[in-house]
Amino acid sequence: MPEYKGMVQPVRATDDEMRKIHIEPVPDEQKPEKALEFLDQIRKKFRSFVMAMESCTKCGQCAENCHTYLGTRDPNNIPTNRAELIRKIYKRYFTLEGRWFGKLVGAEDINLDVIEQWYSYFYQCSQCRRCAHVCPFGIDTCEVTFIGRQLLHWLGITPKLHASVGAAMEKVGNHTGLPKPGIVDTLEFMSEEIMDEFGVEVEFPVDKPESDIMYIPSSADFLLNPYTLMGAGMFFTYIGANWTIPSTVTEAGNFGLLFDQYYTQRGNVMRLLNAAQELGIKKIVWGECGHGWRAAKMYIPSLADRPVRWPITHIHDEIADMIRKNELKLDPNKNSNPVTLHDPCNYVRACGLNENMRTIIRKVTVDFREMSPNGENNFCCGGGSAILFDDPEMYQRRILLSSKKAEQVRATGVGKDGNGILCAPCSICKAQLYPMVEEHELGVEVKGLVDLVGKALVWK
């Protein structure tokens, strides 16, 4: 069981696994000193981090708005207390009062126990940013967590899950390690499935030069969420798009955002831009992945090593725009079961997809029921930022983190008769919700929004 002095922790990558993603782990006896060096670099670079360290008044507004705290009732999972784990170190070494008065002002010396606390609690935060949404000072505790994870990574402390994904992305361009022959074979199988189930001929072009659209799916859509990728293929075929999927980038997610924004995240951006340039495409369309879309929309321009001359949009934007123009014929009766919508945190609190998702879902279903709260006030699924750990102790922690979401779903009544649909248009949300709906006995099936669009299309 991954645990340190009673603190639950994810299984961490070995030293050799860290070296595969270009990190030489720091020896334990040097970790405190190195952590201070890294923290000093960060505070000098990011004023927003300094603001988060020096402006919090501990008003407590974030506590009851955090699904992690509500699920675990662990005081260190209150967002301000989680940030305090690094703030007390910042205060001790980088403020006058901390250097003079130490513990009297809440400052604390750094040691290995503190670093282990960081690892435990920074990987229980799903980085949903609901705390920032309600903070009267606008403090983004998620940014503190990002920085904490980056510091840990530089020290050589990263979950095995995240490190293995980083290595797989660098090697083949997706999380699952699927090579091009496997990609092509899977897409051919999906074409056959679409013909058998929907009677429609759909091709999935791979590495097609001079395409108008380069579509970036989640790699999970090749394995766990096939109807999402099938729905995207049906949509592009329906509108007569000249499109392709690049074999070198079959992953909408960018795990670098979640643990290493310097090397890993930037490397994934370079891989994307290389594919766009080599294929000569005109537009990039993103698939269903919440953090991946945030990473693309907000960070590609600043991380790119060249001008980004291709417009980058989300598939929900494309579908909603065609609905508003009355260019799609949809039959909502094809999705007759009651449906509720889980709002992925990165979509609604960072990327402005709130209304487009509702424009779509109201056109492709007959019994849509909103959760409460919803939109940018919605609660996280509990698996955000890829805290999708499967070891027993962390898995149980994931279920606790999903308690508030389960409460929301149950309140809609969509699962009352055991035939409801929980629409979760994000790959990581789906991965979290598949087991969650079973553990909480919610009586719903998890589907993507593009799944419902594909099923509702009326073919000419």
Side-chain angles (χ1 to χ4, degrees):
M1 181 175 69
E3 192 171 294
Y4 179 87
K5 295 186 177 181
M7 294 183 291
V8 176
Q9 296 181 334
V11 175
R12 65 187 70 188
T14 65
D15 288 354
D16 285 343
E17 288 168 333
M18 293 302 297
R19 293 183 184 105
K20 289 180 181 178
I21 51 175
H22 313 286
I23 289 292
E24 183 60 42
V26 176
D28 284 354
E29 65 273 15
Q30 297 176 23
K31 280 187 170 74
E33 180 183 354
K34 280 294 184 182
L36 289 179
E37 289 181 18
F38 296 145
L39 188 59
D40 192 28
Q41 293 172 21
I42 291 291
R43 76 179 183 94
K44 290 175 179 176
K45 187 171 184 179
F46 296 107
R47 293 178 62 189
S48 56
F49 174 68
V50 174
M51 188 273 285
M53 291 294 97
E54 299 186 356
S55 301
C56 179
T57 62
K58 309 289 179 60
C59 72
Q61 183 72 18
C62 57
E64 295 298 316
N65 282 284
C66 175
H67 67 282
T68 304
Y69 172 65
L70 294 176
T72 64
R73 291 297 175 179
D74 183 334
N76 280 334
N77 274 325
I78 295 174
T80 184
N81 289 351
R82 189 186 300 116
E84 190 69 19
L85 297 175
I86 203 166
R87 185 182 290 116
K88 62 188 180 183
I89 305 303
Y90 172 91
K91 189 176 293 185
R92 168 65 181 84
Y93 295 96
F94 303 113
T95 69
L96 191 61
E97 64 269 25
R99 288 195 295 268
W100 280 4
F101 301 111
K103 290 185 177 181
L104 290 175
V105 293
E108 186 174 315
D109 291 338
I110 192 167
N111 54 48
L112 285 176
D113 286 349
V114 168
I115 292 171
E116 292 293 340
Q117 274 190 309
W118 292 354
Y119 185 57
S120 177
Y121 288 101
F122 293 160
Y123 280 99
Q124 290 183 61
C125 171
S126 66
Q127 301 177 336
C128 76
R129 303 179 71 241
R130 201 170 195 271
C131 53
H133 186 65
V134 301
C135 177
F137 290 96
I139 297 171
D140 192 345
T141 307
C142 169
E143 184 164 341
V144 177
T145 304
F146 274 143
I147 286 171
R149 289 186 180 189
Q150 182 70 66
L151 291 176
L152 288 166
H153 181 66
W154 283 336
L155 293 174
I157 305 173
T158 299
K160 179 182 284 288
L161 170 64
H162 293 62
S164 64
V165 165
M169 278 296 297
E170 185 172 349
K171 183 177 180 181
V172 296
N174 60 66
H175 291 188
T176 60
L178 195 64
K180 183 173 180 177
I183 292 168
V184 172
D185 186 62
T186 302
L187 293 174
E188 289 174 352
F189 175 77
M190 286 187 181
S191 294
E192 295 171 2
E193 287 292 300
I194 292 172
M195 177 57 74
D196 290 344
E197 185 167 348
F198 299 100
V200 178
E201 186 175 346
V202 172
E203 292 186 7
F204 290 87
V206 176
D207 294 335
K208 179 183 174 186
E210 307 303 321
S211 295
D212 294 332
I213 292 171
M214 184 172 78
Y215 180 62
I216 309 297
S218 166
S219 61
D221 295 351
F222 288 83
L223 303 171
L224 299 177
N225 318 313
Y227 281 94
T228 301
L229 188 45
M230 289 161 65
M234 293 167 71
F235 167 69
F236 289 129
T237 300
Y238 186 94
I239 65 174
N242 174 22
W243 71 294
T244 193
I245 294 174
S247 64
T248 55
V249 190
T250 48
E251 180 50 68
N254 190 334
F255 266 43
L257 176 68
L258 311 177
F259 75 95
D260 177 26
Q261 298 178 38
Y262 284 76
Y263 185 90
T264 305
Q265 185 178 2
R266 186 183 299 274
N268 292 339
V269 169
M270 296 306 106
R271 193 180 191 97
L272 173 80
L273 299 182
N274 288 342
Q277 192 163 318
E278 289 166 9
L279 292 175
I281 58 95
K282 296 178 181 177
K283 178 195 286 190
I284 300 170
V285 176
W286 223 258
E288 288 193 342
C289 178
H291 87 269
W293 179 229
R294 181 184 176 196
K297 183 174 183 178
M298 299 180 68
Y299 292 98
I300 285 178
S302 61
L303 293 175
D305 62 351
R306 72 204 78 171
V308 181
R309 63 176 186 267
W310 308 275
I312 305 175
T313 68
H314 195 279
I315 191 168
H316 295 167
D317 295 326
E318 299 290 318
I319 295 170
D321 182 61
M322 299 201 77
I323 287 174
R324 294 189 185 101
K325 293 176 179 176
N326 294 315
E327 294 178 353
L328 294 181
K329 188 173 183 181
L330 300 161
D331 181 2
N333 291 299
K334 293 183 178 182
N335 293 305
S336 59
N337 293 353
V339 180
T340 191
L341 174 65
H342 162 67
D343 289 284
C345 304
N346 283 299
Y347 285 172
V348 294
R349 282 192 281 273
C351 297
L353 279 179
N354 191 348
E355 288 307 314
N356 279 351
M357 287 191 292
R358 283 159 176 80
T359 295
I360 297 168
I361 203 165
R362 291 188 180 112
K363 284 291 186 179
V364 299
T365 64
V366 294
D367 185 5
F368 169 54
R369 307 177 193 181
E370 285 276 21
M371 290 186 196
S372 180
N374 58 64
E376 39 185 49
N377 295 314
N378 204 3
F379 280 94
C380 181
C381 65
S385 79
I387 49 177
L388 302 172
F389 309 114
D390 288 333
D391 49 282
E393 192 72 16
M394 287 302 295
Y395 175 79
Q396 289 304 318
R397 186 56 56 104
R398 282 173 56 193
I399 301 306
L400 289 177
L401 302 189
S402 69
S403 298
K404 189 64 182 181
K405 177 55 58 182
E407 178 186 313
Q408 284 187 281
V409 175
R410 192 174 285 113
T412 67
V414 296
K416 182 179 179 182
D417 296 325
N419 65 343
I421 294 174
L422 172 55
C423 179
C426 162
S427 187
I428 283 180
C429 295
K430 291 168 190 165
Q432 165 70 352
L433 294 172
Y434 287 144
M436 186 274 283
V437 299
E438 300 297 329
E439 295 281 357
H440 293 289
E441 300 180 348
L442 297 179
V444 297
E445 182 180 4
V446 178
K447 291 183 177 293
L449 185 53
V450 179
D451 306 31
L452 303 180
V453 171
K455 189 173 181 180
L457 286 170
V458 178
W459 297 83
K460 302 167 186 177

